[in-house]
Amino acid sequence: MGQRLSGGRSCLDVPGRFLPQPPTPPPPVRRKLALLFAMLCVWLYMFLYSCAGSCAAAPGLLLLGSGSRTAHAPPALATAPNGTPPRLPFRAQPATALAVGKEMAEGAASLEEQSPETPDSPSSISSFFSGSGTKQLPQAIIIGVKKGGTRALLEFLRVHPDVRAVGAEPHFFDRSYDKGLAWYRDLMPRTLEGQITMETPSYFVTREAPARISAMSKDTKLIVVVRDPVTRAISDYTQTLSKRPDIPTFESLTFKNRSTGLIDTSWSAIQIGIYAKHLEHWLRHFPIDQMLFVSGERLISDPAGELGRVQDFLGLKRIITDKHFYFNKTKGFPCLKKAEGSSKPHCLGKTKGRTHPEIDREVVQRLREFYRPFNLKFYQMTGHDFGWD
Ligand SMILES: Nc1ncnc2c1ncn2[C@@H]1O[C@H](COP(=O)(O)OS(=O)(=O)O)[C@@H](OP(=O)(O)O)[C@H]1O
């Protein structure tokens, strides 16, 4: 029989203070420890959050950026619940729907467009961080124009911590549409909340692109880098010439009949520059205020100014400023003081900023006359005088 202790309790009722207890810190110390732990968690979260962007932004990686943008970009909508648009009964036609006729002069160029300035191979760091965030369809697309300065714009924009972009040009809406939106989304880098996904091929002249992009999301923001159509045509020709030195001269390709001065508008180098005509197709699917027109000339003379407009349009903080650029005399173009994810200066590759061949002044003059009415219409439509005339 157990002896009862005072107060009528059994021996099992021994007060807690008499039982062996683990040493417990006094309450204020415990609170401090909990606070310290919470702070550690917050710090760790913030570190991983920012590192997921900036660490993964090292050159040669697919991903870039970290989140500091306040507005949350709307998620892109797919046409079908599984994110796949209706299958096409045929394989999407390669490249643009422009009448070609001078295929020889076109073919070589498209190969080059596919080689990105920035390779996409992921490193161990990006592999580690690629687990964070989700792949989103792009909320903004640089839709053109070819040879307008699209690569320069994307390279500059990638410096922004809230922009992530596909390094290679996916050419989904022109060449690979039959692969479906799920395939397209899979090419996208992972993004965290508040970051926007971008891509850049030259969809501006693709007839089907406006409807297809609108079917993906009506909210997609469209950026068009435009450049004097005459210089653009010469630039386009220069690119082809670099691949196929045996093509006819620019002068002979320009005319259907040189003696009558009739311009060959079926040559894509000429046709791409009729911006007003292409813009009409886009305006059937998108309001003009969902499109931003960047001057290819100003992108060279004042890159920070143009980047300011682009950041505003995308709802991004103005982070990219004059401080990010310097003029490289050897290159003859503005370059980045620091490429994204690196401390080294960065200029675009040698395929950007080529020396153009000398073109007959009369031919240039005839082309200027040809483009003038289209340019004026384009200025009216966009409410912006680009000063090409
Ligand atoms: N900062 C900087 N560095 C180098 N090049 C620059 C830059 N900014 C604009 N540009 C102009 O970009 C022209 C090429 O345009 P794209 O990138 O749109 O060409 S492509 O369609 O992707 O092939 C390219 O055309 P070319 O000069 O005819 O080579 C350049 O004039």
Side-chain angles (χ1 to χ4, degrees):
M1 299 288 255
Q3 195 186 338
R4 286 197 168 262
L5 296 173
S6 60
R9 290 180 297 188
S10 81
C11 63
L12 298 175
D13 296 331
V14 178
R17 65 180 183 276
F18 296 124
L19 291 173
Q21 295 278 318
T24 320
V29 176
R30 236 181 298 159
R31 235 177 287 136
K32 273 184 194 158
L33 278 176
L35 193 71
L36 207 69
F37 180 70
M39 280 168 67
L40 194 73
C41 287
V42 170
W43 179 84
L44 199 68
Y45 172 79
M46 284 169 67
F47 171 76
L48 286 175
Y49 183 81
S50 62
C51 221
S54 50
C55 295
L61 306 184
L62 179 66
L63 310 184
L64 57 154
S66 74
S68 64
R69 184 165 156 256
T70 44
H72 185 191
L77 298 172
T79 48
N82 67 356
T84 312
R87 290 266 160 191
L88 299 176
F90 55 88
R91 203 181 154 73
Q93 286 304 304
T96 74
L98 292 180
V100 187
K102 300 190 177 180
E103 294 87 352
M104 193 176 76
E106 320 288 348
S110 62
L111 286 173
E112 183 185 317
E113 288 158 26
Q114 289 172 29
S115 58
E117 293 276 317
T118 316
D120 274 345
S121 52
S123 75
S124 52
I125 303 175
S126 78
S127 309
F128 174 75
F129 285 114
S130 63
S132 61
T134 53
K135 293 187 174 197
Q136 301 279 338
L137 290 165
Q139 294 93 25
I141 304 180
I142 301 173
I143 55 171
V145 300
K146 185 184 174 196
K147 305 318 288 178
T150 53
R151 178 53 60 178
L153 178 60
L154 191 73
E155 289 288 303
F156 297 162
L157 212 44
R158 293 170 79 136
V159 171
H160 200 291
D162 291 342
V163 174
R164 288 190 171 202
V166 190
E169 299 185 354
H171 280 286
F172 173 63
F173 295 104
D174 50 5
R175 299 178 191 165
S176 300
Y177 193 62
D178 59 337
K179 291 186 175 145
L181 276 179
W183 175 86
Y184 182 48
R185 192 201 310 259
D186 207 46
L187 296 180
M188 299 298 144
R190 289 182 188 275
T191 44
L192 299 167
E193 191 176 310
Q195 293 179 320
I196 57 170
T197 310
M198 295 200 66
E199 71 123 316
T200 175
S202 299
Y203 297 133
F204 191 59
V205 296
T206 306
R207 279 292 175 92
E208 302 86 351
R212 288 173 176 179
I213 295 177
S214 169
M216 173 184 76
S217 169
K218 284 185 168 50
D219 298 326
T220 311
K221 292 187 177 181
L222 308 170
I223 301 176
V224 198
V225 189
V226 284
R227 178 183 186 185
D228 178 346
V230 180
T231 332
R232 199 220 67 80
I234 299 171
S235 168
D236 207 338
Y237 172 80
T238 309
Q239 172 172 293
T240 312
L241 190 67
S242 71
K243 299 279 171 190
R244 295 193 177 196
D246 56 334
I247 57 168
T249 62
F250 180 88
E251 290 82 347
S252 60
L253 288 167
T254 296
F255 295 102
K256 263 203 172 113
N257 183 334
R258 188 152 185 191
S259 52
T260 60
L262 190 65
I263 305 281
D264 187 352
T265 53
S266 72
W267 184 27
S268 74
I270 301 288
Q271 202 179 8
I272 291 172
I274 310 174
Y275 303 140
K277 194 172 93 42
H278 304 299
L279 182 55
E280 275 170 8
H281 299 300
W282 289 89
L283 294 180
R284 284 184 204 139
H285 297 271
F286 291 93
I288 192 91
D289 59 5
Q290 221 169 295
M291 301 184 78
L292 181 76
F293 299 89
V294 172
S295 158
E297 287 81 14
R298 288 187 65 82
L299 195 58
I300 297 170
S301 63
D302 178 19
E306 285 306 280
L307 264 290
R309 294 179 61 231
V310 176
Q311 290 170 95
D312 291 349
F313 174 71
L314 295 175
L316 296 167
K317 250 196 209 160
R318 277 200 179 210
I319 287 178
I320 307 166
T321 63
D322 317 344
K323 295 191 189 90
H324 288 83
F325 302 99
Y326 75 99
F327 187 82
N328 185 309
K329 282 188 191 146
T330 319
K331 175 87 182 156
F333 283 91
C335 299
L336 287 166
K337 281 186 190 162
K338 286 180 190 173
E340 46 88 8
S342 147
S343 55
K344 289 187 189 155
H346 172 70
C347 291
L348 264 65
K350 60 182 188 321
T351 63
K352 309 292 175 187
R354 291 187 176 103
T355 307
H356 295 174
E358 194 72 36
I359 306 296
D360 185 329
R361 287 167 65 100
E362 274 180 26
V363 175
V364 171
Q365 195 47 41
R366 174 72 194 97
L367 274 175
R368 295 222 166 282
E369 284 162 20
F370 168 78
Y371 279 121
R372 189 164 299 120
F374 298 113
N375 288 347
L376 292 177
K377 177 138 189 252
F378 185 66
Y379 299 166
Q380 277 171 6
M381 293 168 89
T382 58
H384 193 113
D385 182 344
F386 289 89
W388 299 319
D389 303 285

